[in-house]
Amino acid sequence: MCGIIGFTGKQQAKPILLDGLRQLEYRGYDSAGYALGGNETPTQIRRVAGSVQDLVNATLEDTSIEHYGIAHTRWATHGAPNETNAHPHQAGLITLVHNGIVENYSELKTKLEAKGIRFLSQTDTEVYAQLLEEKRKEVLSQRASDWTKISNEEKESIVMEALRACAKEVDGHYAVLFLVDGVNDTLFGLQEGAPLVATEANGSAYIASDLQALLKYRSEMTFIPKGKVLIAARGHLRLFDASSGKAETPKFEKIEWTAEKVEKEGYETFMLKEIFQQPMVVADTLSGRLPIQESSGFIWDHLKAHEVLWKNVKRLQLVACGTSYHAAMIAKYYFERWAKLETQVDIASEYRYRSPVFEPGTVVGVISQSGETADTLAALRLANESGASTFSICNVPTSTIARESGFQYPTKAGPEIGVASTKAFTGQLTVLCALALDVGRLRGVKSDGAISFQGLARLPHDCDQILQNSKEWIELGAKLSTKKMTLFVGRGTLYPVALEGSLKMKELTYLPSEGFAAGELKHGPIAYLDPEVAVIVLAPKDELYAKTMSNLEEIKSRGAMLIGIGTVGDSKLQETSSAFIGLPQCSLGTLPILAAIPLQLIAYGAAKALGRNIDRPRNLAKSVTVE
Ligand code: M6R
């Protein structure tokens, strides 16, 4: 969703801000803008509805040499995605960018309008800027100061007080970054639930909503905790508690991701690169964790705490959104089968608004690639507040969800830039499969042989084998792009895989698509079938093969185009289908991981044939930080 970048230091700010916006593009946005602070002149803003490139093109004549500023990519929530609603927003001396939502903006706006303030945009952000400016004027008059005559330090202290007063009146989870005319070379930020990360390097200070925008400057970064104010000036970062105003020392952490990892490296899109990284992701995620022998456990970081977490578990609740939710659905099969553990799976936006029961022995696991998804974070907080033991499976170890969870099982997928999640899903399933096996061992459940650590160990090789045929699946996808609709069906762990295949298809192609449990077909969805519809059936030679094969006949007799995904060498499935994809012989546990890969490639091929923006599909954001 929205992205923030700020810079104050020795270099010219504009190129640094625009480069930062490019690094944040993958999050999804519909307008962009920047503001450059002038020590002697009022702050100038430039904004466009459209892309960062549109902003670059529209501001070619702007050769300002200012050394500090802020910039933003906006994903519209309040007000249409147009230039007026794009950030930064200005109110008097304040110029501000914002991520997240001001929940009580309408009430605040009414109060401000009653004071005679006129609004130019429909955004909640402008309300924040206006309120902050009002507070600044109030503090100034309480101190009987003249803004034009006081020192930079006194101005800073006035702004700090105004910001703290403003934060008390605003409800919501958000982050703001702003500059104030007259407070030279200085940026102010507040983290109130949306991420802000910062670093200092060579006399300059950099701030962003996402570490990706800062990786090229320094690998040590400080994650601004919730409720803290950040002041950046002359290459230094200072931190203050928003409630008490007390100064604190920023803590810097070393980040393992490198800037090189966020390049396409010769692939036509990030998504394709990420699909091809999956064998490596599985290998990295398992690296150092596989047991030494069958009877010993997986080697997690903080092994003792891991054992304590699962010692008295009675039931598991898995909570997530989107693709991560599909990983949770598959994990339900894993935990129930191999750990004999009652497992409930929930969509985070539903879970947080019902009344989940947290009996003693309830463990809650949240799954999130980004670790910033608003609903998943709220679900985690609910579980933490209710006293349940919690853990996270996240791809960003420094994210809010990872930090706030009781225990972390990180995936090692590296930065995922394509909005459509691929390698992160594979990483999540790898961890979940290993975890279910290990929890089964801790609970003394006898293995049924359907998965073993040896099966997991050969997974990178199996993924690699599937990718050998990528050209074929991409071409098949192109054929499906002419169909009215594509349905995906499967049973057992392949039912959530069918849902995931369908999600990939609709988000990338914008064409209708649905996923079903194969057994549900004749309870309604069969009415869709006609020759203009394609059905992808997941039917490997597992325990449910015969059942799925009978669904196949039902589909064929309605004239739909049938694509079979099954075990390599299955001549029966091959003969019945218009197109066939063979999966390598593998264990039941790794099957859903492998079966998802051709579906990613098919959706990719369909989107490519339709000329879609594959890395940034319309209306979507990579990190959904508002509910
Ligand atoms: O970062 P998260 O895993 O929490 O994100 C959850 C969903 O927004 C995400 O999986 C989304 O469904 C994917 N982009 C779909 O490909």
Side-chain angles (χ1 to χ4, degrees):
M1 297 208 135
C2 305
I4 290 179
I5 175 95
F7 170 80
T8 172
K10 294 191 170 158
Q11 297 97 299
Q12 211 181 328
K14 185 187 164 194
I16 293 173
L17 296 175
L18 290 175
D19 179 73
L21 290 185
R22 285 197 191 287
Q23 305 297 328
L24 297 173
E25 280 192 291
Y26 79 99
R27 295 166 65 98
Y29 69 103
D30 34 50
S31 53
Y34 66 78
L36 296 172
N39 285 347
E40 308 305 329
T41 50
T43 300
Q44 297 300 322
I45 59 170
R46 300 300 299 265
R47 308 179 295 194
V48 296
S51 66
V52 174
Q53 189 55 46
D54 293 334
L55 181 65
V56 171
N57 296 342
T59 59
L60 288 175
E61 88 299 345
D62 178 6
T63 49
S64 332
I65 51 154
E66 271 72 17
H67 288 206
Y68 72 111
I70 54 179
H72 191 265
T73 46
R74 171 174 186 255
W75 189 86
T77 55
H78 298 64
N82 57 30
E83 187 184 327
T84 315
N85 289 329
H87 301 207
H89 287 277
Q90 287 190 304
L93 302 186
I94 310 279
T95 304
L96 175 140
V97 294
H98 158 236
N99 278 6
I101 286 183
V102 176
E103 282 166 9
N104 56 341
Y105 86 101
S106 156
E107 178 194 322
L108 294 170
K109 190 171 182 176
T110 310
K111 280 191 200 157
L112 290 164
E113 279 173 336
K115 286 187 174 178
I117 292 168
R118 290 287 153 259
F119 286 84
L120 300 173
S121 76
Q122 288 85 50
T123 62
D124 52 342
T125 306
E126 193 187 355
V127 174
Y128 201 107
Q130 292 288 4
L131 181 65
L132 184 56
E133 174 64 355
E134 280 302 289
K135 297 288 174 200
R136 187 194 65 83
K137 287 196 227 152
E138 271 170 39
V139 179
L140 189 68
S141 88
Q142 280 156 16
R143 295 194 189 182
S145 300
D146 177 346
W147 186 258
T148 57
K149 298 206 174 112
I150 54 179
S151 66
N152 222 45
E153 286 67 35
E154 190 166 357
K155 286 178 186 162
E156 199 180 84
S157 135
I158 289 170
V159 174
M160 238 318 245
E161 199 177 322
L163 178 59
R164 292 173 54 210
C166 182
K168 279 196 191 126
E169 286 185 29
V170 170
D171 296 335
H173 294 283
Y174 64 88
V176 288
L177 187 68
F178 60 95
L179 42 89
V180 186
D181 283 359
V183 193
N184 295 346
D185 301 307
T186 306
L187 303 182
F188 298 85
L190 172 65
Q191 205 278 41
E192 268 303 340
L196 275 184
V197 55
T199 193
E200 313 167 332
N202 307 320
S204 296
Y206 305 79
I207 301 140
S209 50
D210 188 325
L211 61 90
Q212 233 118 263
L214 307 186
L215 281 169
K216 61 162 68 157
Y217 303 110
R218 197 178 160 203
S219 56
E220 278 84 20
M221 307 208 187
T222 178
F223 291 85
I224 311 308
K226 186 165 187 270
K228 307 292 167 189
V229 174
L230 172 78
I231 302 184
R234 288 161 286 279
H236 287 296
L237 298 166
R238 283 169 294 145
L239 201 62
F240 300 87
D241 184 79
S243 311
S244 66
K246 257 180 71 190
E248 296 187 5
T249 312
K251 290 191 185 75
F252 283 82
E253 292 176 34
K254 174 112 184 109
I255 306 299
E256 282 171 20
W257 291 4
T258 59
E260 291 73 53
K261 282 192 177 168
V262 279
E263 298 298 333
K264 284 189 202 146
E265 292 170 351
Y267 287 93
E268 58 190 19
T269 59
F270 278 109
M271 184 182 173
L272 197 60
K273 172 185 157 188
E274 287 157 7
I275 290 175
F276 274 88
Q277 282 180 319
Q278 290 177 106
M280 191 184 77
V281 167
V282 176
D284 287 351
T285 301
L286 291 175
S287 167
R289 286 171 166 173
L290 284 170
I292 293 144
Q293 55 192 26
E294 189 83 53
S295 54
S296 56
F298 280 80
I299 305 153
W300 306 104
D301 295 339
H302 314 291
L303 206 47
K304 268 272 148 284
H306 157 74
E307 286 174 5
V308 168
L309 174 68
W310 296 101
K311 195 160 179 265
N312 297 314
V313 60
K314 296 226 164 34
R315 71 201 60 76
L316 172 63
Q317 296 178 354
L318 292 173
V319 189
C321 300
T323 292
S324 300
Y325 170 69
H326 296 151
M329 284 179 80
I330 295 168
K332 176 179 168 73
Y333 292 84
Y334 288 168
F335 279 96
E336 290 185 345
R337 181 158 181 171
W338 301 319
K340 297 279 175 268
L341 181 61
E342 182 194 324
T343 304
Q344 169 195 310
V345 179
D346 273 276
I347 293 173
S349 54
E350 291 298 315
Y351 182 86
R352 62 182 292 195
Y353 293 118
R354 53 182 185 79
S355 311
V357 178
F358 299 102
E359 282 172 322
T362 303
V363 170
V364 179
V366 291
I367 307 173
S368 172
Q369 185 285 129
S370 60
E372 302 295 348
T373 302
D375 286 315
T376 311
L377 177 59
L380 172 66
R381 287 182 174 153
L382 174 69
N384 279 337
E385 281 156 19
S386 310
S389 304
T390 61
F391 71 88
S392 63
I393 296 181
C394 271
N395 194 39
V396 185
T398 49
S399 63
T400 315
I401 289 178
R403 286 155 183 274
E404 292 192 15
S405 56
F407 193 87
Q408 287 191 38
Y409 295 97
T411 51
K412 308 273 174 75
E416 189 180 65
I417 307 296
V419 164
S421 187
T422 52
K423 63 174 182 171
F425 177 67
T426 298
Q428 290 165 350
L429 286 177
T430 306
V431 170
L432 286 161
C433 193
L435 190 58
L437 267 177
D438 206 38
V439 173
R441 179 190 63 85
L442 290 170
R443 287 166 60 81
V445 179
K446 200 167 168 315
S447 161
D448 67 357
I451 180 69
S452 61
F453 75 85
Q454 290 94 338
L456 264 178
R458 54 165 292 162
L459 187 55
H461 167 262
D462 290 344
C463 292
D464 220 25
Q465 250 193 299
I466 294 189
L467 288 167
Q468 307 282 323
N469 298 323
S470 59
K471 204 165 159 267
E472 236 175 282
W473 320 142
I474 291 175
E475 279 167 13
L476 176 59
K479 285 189 195 140
L480 297 190
S481 68
T482 61
K483 291 284 172 190
K484 183 172 73 182
M485 173 179 213
T486 304
L487 303 182
F488 295 76
V489 295
R491 282 174 187 265
T493 54
L494 297 185
Y495 160 47
V497 172
L499 296 180
E500 175 58 11
S502 167
L503 176 60
K504 292 282 93 84
M505 195 68 159
K506 58 188 135 216
E507 71 175 328
L508 290 172
T509 64
Y510 323 150
L511 294 176
S513 172
E514 290 204 48
F516 296 106
E520 277 293 292
L521 211 55
K522 55 171 107 35
H523 297 285
I526 201 162
Y528 277 135
L529 301 190
D530 69 31
E532 284 181 72
V533 172
V535 186
I536 299 187
V537 180
L538 297 158
K541 285 202 166 157
D542 59 9
E543 303 142 322
L544 302 167
Y545 178 70
K547 306 270 174 216
T548 315
M549 285 307 278
S550 61
N551 298 129
L552 218 86
E553 297 302 333
E554 296 158 7
I555 297 164
K556 224 175 160 208
S557 58
R558 267 83 190 174
M561 177 189 182
L562 189 87
I563 292 126
I565 301 190
T567 309
V568 73
D570 181 350
S571 50
K572 189 169 169 210
L573 181 60
Q574 192 156 4
E575 277 158 26
T576 327
S577 316
S578 311
F580 171 77
I581 298 176
L583 300 173
Q585 290 279 0
C586 65
S587 62
L588 271 184
T590 57
L591 186 59
I593 306 178
L594 294 170
I597 299 175
L599 304 190
Q600 296 165 351
L601 289 161
I602 288 172
Y604 186 90
K608 190 175 166 186
L610 291 165
R612 304 295 192 228
N613 183 340
I614 290 179
D615 283 335
R616 284 189 284 125
R618 72 177 181 201
N619 301 338
L620 293 175
K622 182 68 183 160
S623 181
V624 184
T625 48
V626 293
E627 65 171 295

